[in-house]
Amino acid sequence: MMVFTKNMIEIRNILSKVGQSSTLTLPSIVVIGSQSSGKSSVLESIVGHEFLPKGSNMVTRRPIELTLVNTPESTAEYGEFPDLGLRKITDFSSIQRTLTELNLAVPDTECVSDDPIHLRIYSPNVPDLSLIDLPGYIQVVGQNQPLELKQKISELCDKYIQPPNVILAISAADVDLANSAALRASRRVDPRGERTIGVVTKMDLVDATRGAVILTDKQYPLRLGYVGVVSKVPSMTGLFKRDTGNLMAAISRNENAFFSAHPLEFGPEAGVNVGTITLRKKLMNVLEQTMSASLQTTGDAIQQELEEATYEFKVQYNDRPLSAESYLAESLDTFKHSFKQFADSFGRPQMHEILKTTLDQRVLDQLAARYWNKPIADLSVPPPEPDNIADLPKADPDSPYWHRKLDASASALTKLGVGRLGTTVVASAIQSNIDKLIDQSPFVSHPFARQAITEAASSILNERFYSTSDQVENCIKPYKFEIDIDEREWNQGRDHVGGVLKTELSHCEAAMKNLENAVGGKRKLKEVINYIDKARKGDIVVEGESRSGAGGFSAALLAKGREAVFLRDRADIINMRLLAVKSKQCKSIKNKYYCPEVFLDAVATKLAATSVLFLNVELLSEFYYQFPRELDVKLGRHLSDEQIEMFAKEDPKVKRHLEVIRRKELLELVLEKMESLRQLEGRDRVKRGRE
Ligand code: GDP
């Protein structure tokens, strides 16, 4: 029947991983007692090793859930802390140190914590038992301890001494049982004394007659009885202490000597239970019986819990199986699929569009700097010379002045570093498209995956950056010396630049609106503009603009006014140039000096078209080839199981889904194990019946 308790303890440990409902627990033996009642000594005499924290200052601050595993086929004795990943600790003083550290890690201000420490001890000399050691009850609160400590310890113990647990109530023989904190607590939750075992320690400290009376206590009779022990090893056997393997033998020898010296009180005729060996046997029997009794009820509770989990799985998740790996694999597939769609939709035309739009801005910059420049002077400076713009319609095709101006503008475009610029804008367009793809993918709620994907993209793009921009720069090199535009290109440019100018015009208008709002209305802005205009024409004399402003306008207002004047003039010029571009004059390439807008637009288109050919080969195709492979590396083979699990659980929805499945699996496993145990037990009963 040993196998039964062992299996039940194993089931109990699996159940503790299921968590949640308190109905899903199998019984354990909970050890309570006042400080110094001899609680640790009893536990150590059962285990046969000194392993519990020692010291005067509240050394047990957390529950210790102790699982003893009998290993008859091996001589090795060792402990394990499964939560800490500490395995096979054969040195029990090291277990003791770890326990002390874990306990002392609970800050003094809290003093106790209900977070249990899990410890398993494997040995051929221990019975299969599941014991929980709790902080000892205290009488008075120490100097550095919080006042409510007494209360906290008592509450913590109360949590554990609930059914179906068995209570091991430790009391010392030299203290009146009526004053035993352990028995008082047990009586509160087990008034009929049905699941409490009384342990009376320090039997050697009272005379034998008195001891025997205590063990047959009638005040608080216990169905499971009292056991008297002497669990302290006499100090002269310090030798035994060092050789802890003999602790058990030393104790029982010592106990034997003591109890057999009083045959009248403790002998077989006396009708009392004494000795650690007796206690161990009792614990085994009681635990087995209690476990056996809960087999049915806990089994039913588990069955019900399983039904609930199964229902939730069906209704919420449509019975869809899921594992962290499959979730990752599916997410990756979905992402790759959307990437494929993106790749099909983003090619040369799209890159051309992006690059051309960027170059359009550069064209506008050149036009503004070389043709449309109307600097707004300080108010105290005389107005500027008449603008070049006024000369444009009569630009003489033979004048070197206009030649130089157009050449300089075109060469500023070809030499602005198109290779770098083009590579940059295309690379960042790719990167931001990848970001968008992530946002629409299952990876959106996975910071870890998002980072991995973003890095996969940027590492490829960075790696290709320099060679691509060099290539592109090389290919447009001829245009730096000469650039020929044919009729077709001219007409295209003429069509296109009209749109660019209109867009620029609407930007000017929008900026003007913003200024109006900023200064508090159209009228106000108009007043400032009028003042600035008059000052520029010299209609009014401005005595040097001071910090506080001029003409009754604050300096800030004047600054806004100047911006407005600039925008208005820019808009005027653009309107004029729009008319020019549409005019007959600009229809023919022969008049290119009249129409720098069209010419520069055509140049920009040529630059964009050539660049895109090489961007496509050097950057985009390479990216399309490498990216999916890089994803496989980063989110596939290289991840450990823990990383995959962590990844999947980043998404709360997935986490819940995975947890339901795990819960279901654990419960199924537990039920299966319980069922086979029940069959085993049934067979046993039949066998016993036959005997
Ligand atoms: P805990 O605080 O309840 O864990 O108590 P301990 O097990 O640390 O014991 C408190 C003190 O009582 C220690 O000095 C033990 O050596 C001593 N002690 C424990 N059991 C016995 C016993 O059966 N007889 C005697 N004489 N002393 C004991």
Side-chain angles (χ1 to χ4, degrees):
M1 269 322 259
M2 281 287 278
V3 196
F4 176 77
T5 311
K6 195 199 253 339
N7 284 317
M8 286 298 270
I9 293 174
E10 191 195 332
I11 292 172
R12 188 179 180 278
N13 287 332
I14 302 173
L15 273 181
S16 71
K17 287 187 209 141
V18 180
Q20 285 198 351
S21 157
S22 60
T23 55
L24 289 195
T25 52
L26 283 170
S28 181
I29 298 170
V30 181
V31 192
I32 54 170
S34 309
Q35 243 177 0
S36 300
S37 57
K39 200 156 60 74
S40 317
S41 305
V42 169
L43 277 170
E44 290 179 340
S45 71
I46 292 170
V47 172
H49 286 275
E50 273 193 72
F51 70 100
L52 287 167
K54 297 280 154 59
S56 52
N57 183 32
M58 264 286 298
V59 275
T60 305
R61 300 181 170 194
R62 292 169 63 179
I64 302 173
E65 297 207 16
L66 184 62
T67 304
L68 304 185
V69 185
N70 181 261
T71 50
E73 56 297 310
S74 133
T75 53
E77 294 187 279
Y78 55 90
E80 295 190 341
F81 290 94
D83 300 342
L84 307 181
L86 296 175
R87 308 255 169 239
K88 295 222 169 183
I89 313 171
T90 49
D91 177 6
F92 280 76
S93 62
S94 155
I95 297 179
Q96 193 174 36
R97 271 196 305 278
T98 307
L99 281 175
T100 308
E101 281 162 22
L102 288 171
N103 274 297
L104 291 182
V106 178
D108 275 344
T109 48
E110 283 176 33
C111 250
V112 292
S113 147
D114 55 8
D115 177 25
I117 298 169
H118 293 106
L119 169 62
R120 293 158 166 263
I121 290 176
Y122 297 80
S123 160
N125 306 320
V126 297
D128 285 298
L129 280 180
S130 152
L131 296 156
I132 301 171
D133 185 25
L134 291 166
Y137 292 108
I138 52 170
Q139 304 305 320
V140 277
V141 177
Q143 240 183 359
N144 301 320
Q145 294 167 341
L147 279 177
E148 68 278 15
L149 181 59
K150 244 174 109 166
Q151 178 78 12
K152 279 178 99 172
I153 293 175
S154 165
E155 281 169 4
L156 174 59
C157 292
D158 281 358
K159 252 177 76 173
Y160 278 91
I161 56 181
Q162 301 304 323
N165 284 342
V166 173
I167 303 169
L168 196 66
I170 315 272
S171 319
D174 58 345
V175 177
D176 192 352
L177 276 203
N179 288 332
S180 157
L183 286 175
R184 246 180 295 152
S186 127
R187 203 168 325 180
R188 265 192 291 118
V189 292
D190 178 28
R192 287 162 50 195
E194 294 194 311
R195 51 185 183 93
T196 302
I197 302 173
V199 176
V200 181
T201 60
K202 311 191 187 181
M203 289 295 288
D204 54 327
L205 294 188
V206 292
D207 72 58
T209 328
R210 162 118 194 81
V213 170
I214 297 175
L215 295 184
T216 50
D217 183 72
K218 296 281 178 307
Q219 287 282 324
Y220 181 34
L222 298 175
R223 182 173 68 88
L224 304 172
Y226 289 87
V227 184
V229 295
V230 180
S231 38
K232 181 186 168 155
V233 197
S235 54
M236 55 169 226
T237 52
L239 248 181
F240 286 117
K241 283 208 149 190
R242 219 159 293 142
D243 185 3
T244 49
N246 280 330
L247 182 66
M248 220 168 329
I251 286 176
S252 63
R253 216 176 354 234
N254 186 47
E255 274 183 328
N256 271 342
F258 175 78
F259 290 123
S260 54
H262 307 281
L264 210 61
E265 291 82 356
F266 305 122
E269 308 292 304
V272 293
N273 289 317
V274 289
T276 304
I277 307 239
T278 311
L279 176 62
R280 282 171 50 142
K281 281 203 193 113
K282 196 181 233 352
L283 292 180
M284 286 159 65
N285 285 334
V286 169
L287 187 63
E288 184 186 312
Q289 280 163 16
T290 322
M291 288 275 195
S292 173
S294 359
L295 192 58
Q296 191 60 48
T297 46
T298 310
D300 290 348
I302 294 171
Q303 184 65 48
Q304 190 178 341
E305 199 81 16
L306 176 61
E307 274 160 23
E308 273 161 31
T310 308
Y311 181 76
E312 184 182 353
F313 182 52
K314 187 181 175 64
V315 172
Q316 304 265 351
Y317 304 103
N318 223 343
D319 282 340
R320 194 161 60 86
L322 184 74
S323 68
E325 302 86 66
S326 70
Y327 172 68
L328 175 61
E330 271 171 40
S331 309
L332 195 55
D333 276 354
T334 313
F335 186 78
K336 280 199 205 153
H337 182 73
S338 66
F339 174 70
K340 179 84 186 40
Q341 283 179 327
F342 160 71
D344 290 341
S345 70
F346 188 88
R348 273 153 57 175
Q350 289 71 26
M351 282 196 287
H352 185 276
E353 166 94 25
I354 292 169
L355 184 50
K356 182 67 199 327
T357 308
T358 309
L359 289 175
D360 285 343
Q361 279 309 309
R362 302 303 174 107
V363 167
L364 286 177
D365 291 347
Q366 288 304 315
L367 289 167
R370 293 178 200 273
Y371 290 94
W372 312 339
N373 52 341
K374 257 198 160 185
I376 306 292
D378 214 347
L379 292 185
S380 51
V381 173
E385 292 302 308
D387 308 309
N388 298 320
I389 191 81
D391 306 337
L392 250 186
K394 6 183 186 55
D396 174 2
D398 295 326
S399 153
Y401 174 79
W402 294 109
H403 282 219
R404 259 201 319 271
K405 227 170 170 54
L406 196 63
D407 286 350
S409 308
S411 114
L413 279 184
T414 54
K415 290 180 183 157
L416 64 76
V418 175
R420 233 188 132 73
L421 182 72
T423 313
T424 306
V425 293
V426 169
S428 63
I430 294 173
Q431 189 93 52
S432 74
N433 272 298
I434 295 296
D435 281 349
K436 264 189 234 148
L437 290 182
I438 298 176
D439 284 340
Q440 294 154 6
S441 80
F443 291 127
V444 62
S445 38
H446 295 288
F448 169 78
R450 171 182 284 271
Q451 193 184 345
I453 298 171
T454 313
E455 275 172 16
S458 61
S459 70
I460 301 169
L461 293 171
N462 287 342
E463 195 193 306
R464 307 289 319 157
F465 188 87
Y466 288 106
S467 64
T468 305
S469 70
D470 282 354
Q471 278 284 348
V472 174
E473 197 64 45
N474 259 338
C475 299
I476 59 143
K477 201 168 173 183
Y479 299 141
K480 294 180 185 175
F481 301 100
E482 191 175 6
I483 192 148
D484 267 335
I485 302 293
D486 60 28
E487 273 306 326
R488 195 184 54 86
E489 291 166 332
W490 178 267
N491 288 334
Q492 262 180 8
R494 185 159 167 265
D495 286 345
H496 185 262
V497 82
V500 175
L501 291 177
K502 277 188 199 138
T503 308
E504 182 66 7
L505 197 58
S506 66
H507 287 163
C508 284
E509 282 157 7
M512 195 66 137
K513 265 260 148 355
N514 282 342
L515 278 180
E516 281 172 16
N517 292 337
V519 304
K522 210 176 174 126
R523 270 234 333 255
K524 185 93 189 161
L525 192 61
K526 194 125 201 132
E527 283 170 25
V528 197
I529 292 176
N530 281 340
Y531 174 77
I532 294 171
D533 279 343
K534 277 189 192 141
R536 278 170 79 196
K537 285 204 210 103
D539 291 353
I540 48 174
V541 182
V542 179
E543 294 283 299
E545 195 181 341
S546 76
R547 259 214 229 175
S548 56
F553 299 103
S554 73
L557 202 52
L558 284 174
K560 294 258 188 271
R562 240 172 259 133
E563 253 179 78
V565 169
F566 170 81
L567 286 171
R568 181 201 59 195
D569 292 350
R570 165 66 64 97
D572 286 349
I573 293 169
I574 293 175
N575 271 319
M576 237 164 80
R577 295 308 301 159
L578 262 171
L579 284 177
V581 167
K582 281 188 204 142
S583 74
K584 240 201 296 185
Q585 257 181 334
C586 283
K587 272 219 166 106
S588 159
I589 191 167
K590 285 187 205 95
N591 288 332
K592 66 178 178 184
Y593 297 110
Y594 297 138
C595 313
E597 290 86 357
V598 179
F599 183 75
L600 293 180
D601 188 279
V603 170
T605 302
K606 239 179 154 61
L607 287 172
T610 309
S611 301
V612 161
L613 286 179
F614 289 89
L615 283 167
N616 191 44
V617 180
E618 296 291 321
L619 191 65
L620 197 65
S621 306
E622 281 291 323
F623 185 79
Y624 286 164
Y625 176 78
Q626 285 184 23
F627 185 60
R629 284 160 182 79
E630 191 67 24
L631 284 181
D632 282 338
V633 173
K634 284 217 146 84
L635 291 175
R637 283 167 275 144
H638 276 232
L639 296 186
S640 67
D641 287 353
E642 286 85 47
Q643 280 173 313
I644 296 177
E645 184 87 10
M646 214 177 69
F647 155 79
K649 290 192 168 168
E650 276 178 341
D651 183 335
K653 278 215 306 269
V654 175
K655 183 173 176 201
R656 269 200 305 282
H657 190 165
L658 287 175
E659 275 168 1
V660 167
I661 290 179
R662 189 177 131 88
R663 209 170 140 72
K664 217 174 123 263
E665 282 170 0
L666 282 176
L667 290 168
E668 277 162 357
L669 177 70
V670 164
L671 274 185
E672 205 175 288
K673 282 185 183 284
M674 281 182 133
E675 188 46 44
S676 66
L677 258 187
R678 223 173 290 171
Q679 281 172 7
L680 209 94
E681 208 195 19
R683 227 177 298 146
D684 247 34
R685 210 174 291 133
V686 172
K687 214 163 78 191
R688 257 176 288 161
R690 267 199 235 114
E691 278 163 11

